[in-house]
Amino acid sequence: MPEQPTDRAALRRANLAWVVRVLREQGGLSRAQLAVLSGLSKATISTLVAELTARRLVRAGGIAAGGQGRPGQIVELDPSGVRGIGLEVGVDHLAVTSVDTAGHVVADRRVAFDVLSAGVDRTMDKLAEVAGDELTAVGAAYPAGITVSVPGLVDTARGVVRLAPRLRWREVTLADGLAGRLGFPLDRLTVDNDANLSATAEYEIGGMKATADLIYVTGDFGIGAGVIAGGRLVRGSIGYAGEVGHMSMDPMGPQCSCGRRGCWETQVGLAALFHALAAPGDPVSDPNRPIEERMAIVRSRAERRDQRTLGALHQIGAALGVGVSIVVNVLSPAVVILGGYFAALPDWLIEPARIEVAARAVVAEAATVRVVGSDLGFTAARTGGALAALSRVYDDPTQAPERMQSTEAPA
């Protein structure tokens, strides 16, 4: 049942949000079914549906089957009225994803871009261009917001990238800079860590949807973790939870982008993979090739049982499992989801990782944790960004403007 705030306007917002949430979780329902689930009258439900229709968040569907009396009309989410936009900043690319209110990806585009060479200002110029193109593409749909994914420590309240070693960014006022370039409202533009957004996407629409305790591990040049506990994203006391890529695994190991030695990402990040399986000049290491194409080459070689490739993948998978076992022993999730390039090579990475997790479990129950590849692959962070942007209207549907006068009569 919906919450019962004492303030009348807050009560209406809560009831509207409840209708949207139930339709997201259960699919289309009749007004009668919504009334039964909510404990509200059919007249009240019809009023709420009329407002949500005017805000283009719901629409009339088919006819409800079964039941007695006159068949009721289904109310379902309207995928055409509102969009969430997720942007992504990577070492060698920028990307954008647009998601509708039903959680469906309606657009996804990746642009090769050398962020390190470009520097902060040119990167923000190009990111604004990518975002502007997508804002044009959404057409008549209302852009609920924009969320930017960055591989680093982010002050989400201020939209500041505090530190992103792989990008060589420090104290970058990304939200302000992008909003100014786009002419987009600052209160609808946010910045967040890529692992947090990836975990959000997995929890909302991924293969492990609605798993209350999960950990998402990014597989990129940097390694991070997004933690969902009890159905909520864990940020920690200062907002930087999940920086597992900089766990010290070998104090005498290679130097990390953070300046320390032997961090986990030096063992399992993309740079470690390329170093282990590719000689100089190998197309797998060519930064101008899309990452999906490079992973396809690796898969092809593994399927042909190329020994250097198989050895490198086993080495990476075992090191991956060692780090995952630490996280599992500390946080005890139900599932660990491997994303990014890990998800592109599940047949060779997941089993050695599982073996290490089982061998290093503190208690027998910890050894049963599921380790799976992400269904969302390389798109998880920006998809999570789009979903985070949509949360503004999920939580408060009155944020979406009314586009028409509803003539719907209570049913």
Side-chain angles (χ1 to χ4, degrees):
M1 294 181 62
E3 300 175 7
Q4 299 297 320
T6 54
D7 176 74
R8 195 167 182 176
L11 176 61
R12 179 173 62 88
R13 289 194 297 270
N15 286 338
L16 290 167
W18 179 86
V19 172
V20 172
R21 184 174 69 252
V22 169
L23 294 179
R24 288 179 64 210
E25 293 172 352
Q26 300 190 28
L29 297 168
S30 69
R31 292 170 184 75
Q33 290 170 319
L34 288 168
V36 169
L37 288 171
S38 66
L40 301 172
S41 69
K42 283 186 65 179
T44 299
I45 289 294
S46 289
T47 299
L48 295 172
V49 168
E51 179 169 350
L52 290 170
T53 302
R55 297 183 187 279
R56 297 178 64 193
L57 289 168
V58 305
R59 67 184 182 186
I63 301 299
Q68 298 180 347
R70 181 165 61 93
Q73 190 169 49
I74 292 292
V75 178
E76 62 186 17
L77 294 174
D78 183 349
S80 67
V82 177
R83 295 281 189 273
I85 296 173
L87 298 176
E88 178 177 283
V89 181
V91 173
D92 59 358
H93 72 277
L94 303 175
V96 61
T97 290
S98 181
V99 173
D100 66 29
T101 50
H104 300 138
V105 173
V106 294
D108 184 73
R109 185 165 64 98
R110 186 182 187 276
V111 179
F113 189 80
D114 187 345
V115 171
L116 302 184
S117 297
V120 172
D121 287 337
R122 284 176 54 205
T123 296
M124 281 204 278
D125 290 343
K126 184 63 176 180
L127 192 61
E129 178 186 322
V130 171
D133 289 344
E134 187 57 32
L135 286 169
T136 299
V138 302
Y142 170 69
I146 297 173
T147 301
V148 188
S149 163
V150 178
L153 303 180
V154 178
D155 181 340
T156 55
R158 297 189 300 134
V160 175
V161 180
R162 299 296 309 278
L163 177 65
R166 284 285 171 185
L167 303 181
R168 300 175 190 163
W169 285 9
R170 185 184 291 272
E171 300 298 334
V172 173
T173 54
L174 185 54
D176 281 344
L178 188 58
R181 286 167 169 81
L182 277 174
F184 194 80
L186 183 59
D187 63 349
R188 286 161 50 200
L189 199 156
T190 57
V191 184
D192 207 340
N193 168 266
D194 60 342
N196 287 341
L197 293 173
S198 296
T200 297
E202 293 291 348
Y203 181 74
E204 293 281 346
I205 64 171
M208 295 291 109
K209 178 180 178 180
T211 300
D213 295 279
L214 67 81
I215 294 173
Y216 178 97
V217 181
T218 62
D220 208 306
F221 288 98
I223 305 298
V227 181
I228 303 287
R232 294 180 178 275
L233 182 68
V234 176
R235 292 189 180 275
S237 62
I238 58 174
Y240 305 144
E243 285 299 315
V244 296
H246 300 290
M247 296 188 298
S248 180
M249 308 299 282
D250 178 6
M252 302 301 291
Q255 189 164 24
C256 180
S257 62
C258 71
R260 301 176 180 86
R261 288 192 172 275
C263 292
W264 191 28
E265 76 173 43
T266 67
Q267 297 181 343
V268 299
L270 267 173
L273 175 72
F274 295 150
H275 177 76
L277 60 74
D282 193 304
V284 165
S285 299
D286 183 355
N288 295 316
R289 287 177 179 262
I291 188 63
E292 293 86 354
E293 182 180 323
R294 293 152 82 183
M295 290 303 102
I297 296 172
V298 176
R299 283 198 304 274
S300 176
R301 292 176 182 176
E303 288 165 353
R304 295 198 311 267
R305 304 198 61 78
D306 174 77
Q307 290 306 299
R308 176 169 182 168
T309 300
L310 293 176
L313 292 177
H314 188 274
Q315 171 190 322
I316 295 288
L320 180 59
V322 173
V324 167
S325 71
I326 296 171
V327 177
V328 166
N329 285 329
V330 171
L331 297 173
S332 187
V335 61
V336 176
I337 302 171
L338 304 179
Y341 92 82
F342 302 141
L345 302 167
D347 294 340
W348 300 277
L349 295 178
I350 289 180
E351 190 56 28
R354 283 175 176 158
I355 290 171
E356 290 293 337
V357 171
R360 296 167 184 273
V362 174
V363 295
E365 290 82 358
T368 64
V369 65
R370 297 182 65 188
V371 181
V372 301
S374 168
D375 293 339
L376 301 175
F378 292 104
T379 70
R382 55 188 183 263
T383 301
L387 290 166
L390 278 173
S391 68
R392 295 182 68 255
V393 295
Y394 289 154
D395 296 340
D396 180 7
T398 64
Q399 295 292 315
E402 295 191 57
R403 303 295 183 90
M404 60 184 180
Q405 293 296 319
S406 176
T407 59
E408 181 179 9

